[in-house]
């Protein structure tokens, strides 16, 4: 982490978990544990149906609410979809874009990711843009080239003055939900390379200010080591964000003066 230049952000991705009742119970539990973090921003990206309640329930403990996806159009005949403007009006601050599960199961492409980034920024949301390689791609030695392409494609047409609202989350696909985690050195190497790509696109000043998270099985045991890396500015947390004790431990690892 490097707070001199950029924000530290711990974001939970609940995926398709927790009913409204369970969300209320989680809020009551974590309020007794978390306090009000001062040195990092805490976000919970929850299912659409829980957003209105979550905005209300987590307001007192300074947890911002995010969505797990949005559509790239502002309105239209897109049954079952939700626009960035709709999310903004509900009180959402962040939105996850391009998660590997959506790329794999819902035909999300680099083209649609880019369109969603623009839609989110236009609506005043902070996009958390996910990039990452498969195990096969890592073993082929193309990780850096692939990640560079994904970052460039996602940011195509995004002006420099909007980059302070963009978060990049490096999530190696082979480490999501598998229990496997990139070593601190592997994660740091890729996050550093992402910053190099942004520096080439926008210059050093913008690159220094962009928050780059690590995802892929960050948990209560490995969070401190990962967050100690200079180019890892937080985490996009899956399973551990569903457990108040574990999520609090991760936040505390990031919430250091």
């Amino acid at each position: 982490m490097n707070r001199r230049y950029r924000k530290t952000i711990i974001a939970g991705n609940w995926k398709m978990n927790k009913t409204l009742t369970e969300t209320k119970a989680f809020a009551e539990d974590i309020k007794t544990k978390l306090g009000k973090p001062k040195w990092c921003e805490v976000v919970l990206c929850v299912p659409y149906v829980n957003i209105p309640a979550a905005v209300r329930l987590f307001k007192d403990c300074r947890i911002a609410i995010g969505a797990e996806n949005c559509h790239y159009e502002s309105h239209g005949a897109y049954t079952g979809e939700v626009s960035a403007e709709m999310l903004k009006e509900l009180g959402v601050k962040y939105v996850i874009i391009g998660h590997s599960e959506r790329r794999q199961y819902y035909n999300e492409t680099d083209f649609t990711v880019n369109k969603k980034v623009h839609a989110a920024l236009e609506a005043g949301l902070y996009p958390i843009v996910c990039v990452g390689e498969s195990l096969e791609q890592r073993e082929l030695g193309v990780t850096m080239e692939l990640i560079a392409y994904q970052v460039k494609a996602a940011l195509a047409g995004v002006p420099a003055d909007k980059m302070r609202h963009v978060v990049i989350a490096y999530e190696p696909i082979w480490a999501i939900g598998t229990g496997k985690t990139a070593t601190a050195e592997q994660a740091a190497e890729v996050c550093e390379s992402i910053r190099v790509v942004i520096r080439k696109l926008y210059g050093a000043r913008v690159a220094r200010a962009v928050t780059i998270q690590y995802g892929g099985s960050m948990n209560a045991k490995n969070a401190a080591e990962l967050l100690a890396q200079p180019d890892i500015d937080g985490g996009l947390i899956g399973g551990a964000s569903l457990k108040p004790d574990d999520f609090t431990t991760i936040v505390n690892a990031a919430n250091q003066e």
Side-chain angles (χ1 to χ4, degrees), residues 103-173:
R103 292 179 190 254
Q104 180 178 357
Y105 300 121
Y106 300 101
N107 300 316
E108 193 104 322
T109 66
D110 294 305
F111 177 71
T112 57
V113 166
N114 177 249
K115 292 182 72 174
K116 289 182 179 187
V117 169
H118 281 277
L121 291 171
E122 186 173 342
L125 299 178
Y126 288 67
I128 300 175
V129 185
C130 298
V131 298
E133 82 283 10
S134 68
L135 182 59
E136 180 182 17
Q137 289 162 337
R138 173 164 280 274
E139 290 176 342
L140 285 172
V142 298
T143 294
M144 299 308 180
E145 293 89 341
L146 175 72
I147 299 298
Y149 171 77
Q150 289 179 329
V151 171
K152 290 176 182 178
L155 300 179
V158 175
D161 64 344
K162 293 287 188 179
M163 283 302 296
R164 62 190 179 88
H165 288 167
V166 176
V167 178
I168 306 293
Y170 167 54
E171 290 202 314
I173 298 170

